[in-house]
Amino acid sequence: MSTRVLVVDDDVRFRDLAARLLAALGFDVAGEAGSCADAVAVAEAVHPDAALIDVNLPDGTGIDLSERLTRGPGTLRVVLTSSDADAAGGTAIARARAAGFVPKDE
């Protein structure tokens, strides 16, 4: 059984690209969302194993979203991403309870 991933980004083109790349690597893209509110609803519906979350979302931060999603039951793992390579420093990643950060240009 492959890892089920939730992709959260307000840029639909990035979500599509990320979903295609994850699927090509053998991950199951369980859902997509463009905002914090949508991400919470989708996560509650599909129970992903992992999430790729943009740091800057229209209704909040990916850091706050990550913190919220990782506090629930289960072992959801989060990787944060942003076009701003400095968007999530070490303390932000720790506060978000994220596994790490990947700049979008990588």
Side-chain angles (χ1 to χ4, degrees):
M1 185 166 141
S2 64
T3 302
R4 297 168 40 80
V5 181
L6 169 62
V7 179
V8 183
D9 197 292
D10 59 328
D11 183 336
V12 91
R13 293 172 303 166
F14 180 81
R15 282 198 321 259
D16 181 59
L17 175 63
R20 286 188 285 131
L21 288 171
L22 288 165
L25 292 170
F27 293 94
D28 176 17
V29 178
E32 297 181 24
S35 68
C36 293
D38 289 345
V40 170
V42 173
E44 289 173 354
V46 302
H47 306 286
D49 303 306
L52 176 65
I53 301 176
D54 186 19
V55 171
N56 298 305
L57 295 165
D59 61 344
T61 71
I63 293 166
D64 292 337
L65 175 60
S66 174
E67 185 178 14
R68 179 175 179 180
L69 293 177
T70 57
R71 289 202 184 277
T75 57
L76 178 71
R77 305 218 5 131
V78 170
V79 173
L80 297 169
T81 189
S82 179
S83 55
D84 177 1
D86 298 322
T91 57
I93 291 171
R95 183 173 72 80
R97 302 168 49 126
F101 174 80
V102 177
K104 285 185 179 179
D105 63 353
E106 289 184 22

